[in-house]
C-alpha cells in the first residue's frame, strides 16, 4: 500500500493550525462552490482542522461530507468544530491520501486544498481522487505558489524567509511552487485539458489582516515545523530563524501593508466511464 514519503514541513504547532482554521469555502473554494448540489457526497482530502469541511457540510444539507487527514490529532479539532456548529452530516477519518480507503466512484465531489505541495507523489494522489469520484462529478484542487508571493513594504528579512521556505520545502520532498505546475500534474494524472477548468485566485492581506499574517509568521519562523526542518537539514541556524522572526514582527508594524498569496485552482469534470481515457 502506498505511504506518504514527504515531510509536512509546516507541522502542527498552534500557530499553523490556528491559521488553517480561519479558512472558509468563500476564500478557499469559491471556484467549486457554485457546482455543489444539496445532496452531494463530498470528500475533503487533507482537511486539517476542518473549517472548510464544515462549510461544505452546511452547503449540502441533504448530502454527506467526509474530511480526511493523515494526522489524527488535528481531526479532534475538526470534530469539535462540527459539533459546535451542530452539523450532523460530516465525519472525519485519519487517512493517507496515497491510498484512499474508499471504493471507486464513491463521491460526487473530491477536493483538496494546499495539500499537493507537501506530498511526494501529487500525480498519484490526483489519480486516487479521480478514482473515488463518480462519473459526472468534480475533482477540485487549489495550490499556492510561494515563488509568486508579493509584499510591501520590501524587507530583506522577508526575502530571506522566502529563500528558506523554498529550501526547506524542497528538502522535505514537496514543491513550494505547486500552483504553477498543478495543471501539468492534472494532465499527467489523466485529467483531459478540455474537461479541466484552470483559474487563479489570491488571498490578499492589508491592514489588520496583514498584521495578523506577519505576527503569525513571526511565531512560525521559530516555533513551527518550518523552523525544525531548517535546522535539521542544515539550511539555516537558530540565529537565522530569529532574524527572520524579527523581520516579520518589524514588517507587521509598518503602514500600508500588503501581502498577496496566489493559488492556482483546477476543476475537473469526470466524464462518463465509457469516455474516460485513463
Amino acid at each position: 500500500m502506498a505511504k506518504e514519503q514527504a515531510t509536512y514541513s509546516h507541522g502542527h504547532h498552534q500557530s499553523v493550525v490556528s491559521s488553517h482554521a480561519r479558512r472558509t469555502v468563500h476564500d478557499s473554494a469559491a471556484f467549486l462552490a457554485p457546482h455543489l448540489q444539496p445532496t452531494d457526497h463530498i470528500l475533503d482530502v487533507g482537511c486539517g482542522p476542518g473549517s472548510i469541511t464544515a462549510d461544505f457540510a452546511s452547503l449540502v444539507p441533504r448530502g454527506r461530507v467526509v474530511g480526511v487527514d493523515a494526522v489524527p490529532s488535528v481531526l479532534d479539532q475538526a470534530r469539535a468544530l462540527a459539533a459546535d456548529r451542530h452539523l450532523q452530516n460530516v465525519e472525519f477519518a485519519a487517512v493517507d491520501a496515497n491510498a484512499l480507503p474508499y471504493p471507486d466512484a464513491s463521491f460526487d465531489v473530491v477536493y483538496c486544498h494546499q495539500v499537493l505541495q507537501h506530498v511526494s507523489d501529487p500525480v498519484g494522489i490526483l489519480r486516487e481522487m479521480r478514482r473515488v469520484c463518480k462519473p459526472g462529478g468534480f475533482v477540485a484542487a487549489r495550490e499556492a505558489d510561494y515563488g509568486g508571493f508579493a509584499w510591501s513594504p520590501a524587507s530583506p528579512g522577508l526575502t530571506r524567509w522566502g529563500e528558506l521556505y523554498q529550501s526547506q520545502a524542497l528538502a522535505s520532498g514537496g514543491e513550494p511552487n505547486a500552483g504553477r505546475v498543478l495543471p501539468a500534474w492534472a494532465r499527467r494524472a489523466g485529467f483531459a485539458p478540455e474537461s479541466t477548468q484552470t483559474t487563479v485566485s489570491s488571498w490578499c492581506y492589508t491592514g489588520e489582516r496583514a498584521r495578523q499574517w506577519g505576527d503569525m509568521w513571526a511565531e512560525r519562523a521559530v516555533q513551527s515545523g518550518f523552523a525544525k526542518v531548517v535546522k535539521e537539514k542544515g539550511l539555516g541556524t537558530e540565529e537565522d530563524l530569529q532574524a527572520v522572526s524579527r523581520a516579520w514582527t518589524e514588517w507587521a508594524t509598518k503602514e500600508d501593508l500588503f501581502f498577496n498569496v496566489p493559488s492556482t485552482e483546477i476543476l475537473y469534470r469526470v466524464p462518463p466511464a465509457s469516455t474516460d481515457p485513463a
Side-chain angles (χ1 to χ4, degrees), residues 6-7 9 165-174 176 229-230 233 235:
T7 299
S9 59
Y165 188 92
Q166 292 275 340
S167 297
Q168 62 84 38
L170 292 169
S172 298
V229 173
V230 166
K233 299 292 185 180
L235 303 171

Side-chain angles (χ1 to χ4, degrees), residues 20-44:
H20 292 177
R22 296 191 185 102
R23 296 172 179 173
T24 67
V25 164
H26 175 72
D27 67 26
S28 300
F31 70 106
L32 171 61
H35 302 278
L36 299 180
Q37 301 299 317
T39 56
D40 277 346
H41 194 187
I42 300 174
L43 178 66
D44 185 5

Side-chain angles (χ1 to χ4, degrees), residues 12 17 20 47-50 69-80 92:
H12 290 85
V17 177
H20 292 177
C47 66
D69 200 279
V71 180
S73 60
V74 78
L75 295 176
D76 292 337
Q77 184 170 335
R79 293 185 182 100
F92 298 93

Side-chain angles (χ1 to χ4, degrees), residues 3-207:
K3 184 176 176 60
E4 184 54 56
Q5 300 299 315
T7 299
Y8 179 55
S9 59
H10 285 203
H12 290 85
H13 185 266
Q14 188 58 38
S15 59
V16 177
V17 177
S18 295
S19 175
H20 292 177
R22 296 191 185 102
R23 296 172 179 173
T24 67
V25 164
H26 175 72
D27 67 26
S28 300
F31 70 106
L32 171 61
H35 302 278
L36 299 180
Q37 301 299 317
T39 56
D40 277 346
H41 194 187
I42 300 174
L43 178 66
D44 185 5
V45 177
C47 66
S51 57
I52 299 173
T53 324
D55 280 357
F56 281 145
S58 297
L59 292 172
V60 294
R62 301 196 305 277
R64 189 78 186 167
V65 182
V66 179
V68 299
D69 200 279
V71 180
S73 60
V74 78
L75 295 176
D76 292 337
Q77 184 170 335
R79 293 185 182 100
L81 174 63
D84 287 345
R85 292 175 61 170
H86 307 289
L87 296 168
Q88 303 296 319
N89 62 334
V90 61
E91 61 187 271
F92 298 93
V95 164
D96 186 334
N98 290 275
L100 295 171
Y102 305 107
D104 295 357
S106 297
F107 298 91
D108 299 291
V109 176
V110 185
Y111 170 82
C112 74
H113 184 255
Q114 313 297 0
V115 172
L116 301 175
Q117 63 189 272
H118 299 295
V119 303
S120 61
D121 185 13
V123 173
I125 288 178
L126 284 169
R127 289 190 183 118
E128 272 291 274
M129 291 171 65
R130 190 187 62 174
R131 179 185 66 79
V132 301
C133 191
K134 297 176 182 178
F138 290 97
V139 178
R142 185 172 188 266
E143 292 294 328
D145 189 322
Y146 276 75
F149 283 17
W151 57 82
S152 182
S155 166
L158 267 62
T159 298
R160 176 58 176 155
W161 162 79
E163 294 168 349
L164 286 173
Y165 188 92
Q166 292 275 340
S167 297
Q168 62 84 38
L170 292 169
S172 298
E175 173 49 76
N177 302 324
R180 68 188 68 178
V181 293
L182 179 59
W185 287 344
R187 182 187 58 77
R188 288 167 54 195
F191 294 16
E194 61 270 21
S195 299
T196 307
Q197 174 183 303
T198 302
T199 53
V200 175
S201 66
S202 294
W203 294 327
C204 187
Y205 302 139
T206 59

